[in-house]
Amino acid sequence: SAVISQKPSRDICQRGTSLTIQCQVDSQVTMMFWYRQQPGQSLTLIATANQGSEATYESGFVIDKFPISRPNLTFSTLTVSNMSPEDSSIYLCSVDLGPDQETQYFGPGTRLLVL
Amino acid sequence: EDQVTQSPEALRLQEGESSSLNCSYTVSGLRGLFWYRQDPGKGPEFLFTLYSAGEEKEKERLKATLTKKESFLHITAPKPEDSATYLCAVSGGGSEKLVFGKGTKLTVNP
């Protein structure tokens, strides 16, 4: 497994502002993922972040709203831009440790409330 | 499109009362079916991966099984510390992408 940390753990923001969430892993990983978990809903993949290339976004998510950086193999950021109350959610990063590991491992999440 | 449906949405058990959670799925070319446990305010914690129909895995009071259309998470003689939301996810079609169900919230009363 891997030790994954996220910052901030929670935040309350005003509509129209932006928040950048950081994800740090204690080992080098090729694939990192960003998910959203809205109340009463399933975890939904926002995008896949690979080092050295642009993030790949899922249907319904766009780069202008959720820009992602992946500067190295242990770190990634997700920005939630021009926030509205509908963006209130838990944002989680996960990592895939490679073909010898069984699955993705998740960070603790960032709880975001937009007023 | 890959889909995962979990039932029931919520389940209340008395300590020691065994039961099962269901995960029905449709996926093109199953790569794996995954069970996670999520405690309030925390990220999902990995429990099991199942790869093919007929496979079973166990961990303490939990046992996961897999058929071609569904998976069960059996909980034997649960304890209050087993209270959590249990999430099921699948990946398929050669992708590492996980598609999750909404989860089953399990409460075990002492």
Side-chain angles (χ1 to χ4, degrees):
Chain A
S1 63
V3 177
I4 305 167
S5 60
Q6 287 186 231
K7 291 182 180 179
S9 59
R10 60 179 61 232
D11 207 341
I12 300 174
C13 300
Q14 298 297 318
R15 70 170 66 209
T17 63
S18 298
L19 176 71
T20 296
I21 303 168
Q22 300 178 4
C23 179
Q24 180 77 52
V25 190
D26 69 342
S27 59
Q28 294 185 338
V29 297
T30 301
M31 302 188 75
M32 296 181 75
F33 306 87
W34 287 99
Y35 287 83
R36 182 173 72 182
Q37 188 174 31
Q38 295 180 305
Q41 301 299 314
S42 58
L43 272 82
T44 302
L45 181 64
I46 297 171
T48 303
N50 294 328
Q51 195 269 336
S53 63
E54 287 200 4
T56 302
Y57 289 83
E58 296 298 307
S59 176
F61 298 97
V62 295
I63 187 171
D64 290 345
K65 176 66 175 177
F66 298 102
I68 289 171
S69 76
R70 182 78 200 275
N72 57 52
L73 292 175
T74 64
F75 187 78
S76 178
T77 67
L78 170 76
T79 298
V80 186
S81 303
N82 188 24
M83 289 184 285
S84 66
E86 292 71 35
D87 294 319
S88 298
S89 184
I90 301 172
Y91 293 86
L92 296 131
C93 69
S94 72
V95 302
D96 188 315
L97 299 181
D100 295 332
Q101 301 289 328
E102 287 194 311
T103 190
Q104 293 176 24
Y105 294 88
F106 284 81
T110 295
R111 289 178 172 271
L112 171 62
L113 176 64
V114 184
L115 301 178
Chain B
E1 182 179 330
D2 301 344
Q3 288 189 325
V4 176
T5 303
Q6 292 187 246
S7 62
E9 291 185 8
L11 180 63
R12 285 186 175 272
L13 300 173
Q14 289 298 122
E15 184 171 2
E17 178 186 3
S18 301
S19 188
S20 297
L21 312 182
N22 177 263
C23 172
S24 298
Y25 66 93
T26 56
V27 65
S28 175
L30 180 70
R31 171 176 169 261
L33 184 139
F34 308 89
W35 283 99
Y36 288 85
R37 168 190 171 130
Q38 187 173 26
D39 293 298
K42 296 188 177 181
E45 174 189 346
F46 171 67
L47 293 174
F48 303 109
T49 304
L50 302 169
Y51 296 101
S52 58
E55 188 174 1
E56 299 182 351
K57 287 191 176 177
E58 290 188 64
K59 179 180 180 180
E60 297 181 355
R61 296 177 291 282
L62 300 177
K63 178 180 177 180
T65 63
L66 181 65
T67 72
K68 289 187 177 180
K69 293 186 177 181
E70 58 190 350
S71 176
F72 292 93
L73 185 65
H74 306 278
I75 303 176
T76 302
K79 298 181 178 181
E81 52 262 42
D82 295 321
S83 297
T85 295
Y86 290 85
L87 303 173
C88 175
V90 297
S91 69
S95 170
E96 291 81 7
K97 170 185 174 180
L98 295 181
V99 176
F100 280 86
K102 293 184 178 181
T104 294
K105 183 177 181 180
L106 174 66
T107 303
V108 182
N109 296 313

